Amino acid sequence: QKEVEQNSGPLSVPEGAIASLNCTYSDRGSQSFFWYRQYSGKSPELIMFIYSNGDKEDGRFTAQLNKASQYVSLLIRDSQPSDSATYLCAVNARDDKIIFGKGTRLHILP
Amino acid sequence: DAGVTQSPTHLIKTRGQQVTLRCSPKSGHDTVSWYQQALGQGPQFIFQYYEEEERQRGNFPDRFSGHQFPNYSSELNVNALWLGDSALYLCASSLYRGRDEQYFGPGTRLTVT
């Protein structure tokens, strides 16, 4: 059974600090990795995707992938109250099924 | 550029009834995937349609079926509704089976009473 694991939180981070969200996956053959943000009552919104080992930066967001450790993370710099949401990690396994974690609730403290 | 659209927004059905949900993908996308999201959970993959065929399926019973039309839009049908089918149903579109990023529609909130 392919799995994607995330700490459910809530993760509380002071405004202006760095929020660090983590995700592990079980299928070593997984090809692509995604982070989605989901506000309560809304659908998921894609914020980052990464395919290769290393870091990918987009504005205040950095995704980090380590395939050897089967680990992907998301860093949010200069956290804002509007970043308070649930962050979903998703993995495209080798059979093209996309598996989501249960999400981490992030709360930015003003 | 129109994003992913879904209809209806909300739906209330009774146990045993059947429901059809609809999705139009983002312009230029050819693949539609359907997900079920229960409260407090991540989206669960139901199935994926590409070139009008079901290409992948998650662990959902045959009561869940779908269709993709030549214009890439898609329907999700659920027969013999259970109370446990109450959830947010999400449609996501992508290019070529979702190996690149996929984008979600606003979802359909289904309540089964």
Side-chain angles (χ1 to χ4, degrees), chain B residues 34-108:
Chain B
W34 286 93
Y35 294 84
Q36 179 195 67
Q37 187 176 25
L39 204 60
Q41 301 294 315
Q44 296 292 310
F45 176 75
I46 302 175
F47 42 53
Q48 180 188 81
Y49 276 86
Y50 171 70
E51 293 186 333
E52 301 180 50
E53 291 189 14
E54 182 182 296
R55 299 292 179 167
Q56 289 291 346
R57 189 177 184 94
N59 294 325
F60 280 81
D62 292 344
R63 298 188 297 110
F64 289 76
S65 63
H67 188 78
Q68 186 178 35
F69 300 94
N71 67 353
Y72 307 119
S73 67
S74 178
E75 290 182 347
L76 164 65
N77 301 292
V78 187
N79 294 322
L81 286 165
W82 296 2
L83 294 178
D85 295 331
S86 295
L88 180 67
Y89 287 85
L90 296 162
C91 164
S93 79
S94 58
L95 270 175
Y96 190 50
R97 303 184 62 179
R99 292 174 186 175
D100 294 320
E101 61 268 32
Q102 61 177 359
Y103 297 90
F104 283 90
T108 295

Side-chain angles (χ1 to χ4, degrees), chain A residues 36 38 43 92 95-97, chain B residues 37 56-57 98-99 102 105:
Chain A
Y36 287 85
Q38 187 172 28
S43 64
N92 187 338
D95 61 1
D96 285 333
K97 289 183 182 178
Chain B
Q37 187 176 25
Q56 289 291 346
R57 189 177 184 94
R99 292 174 186 175
Q102 61 177 359

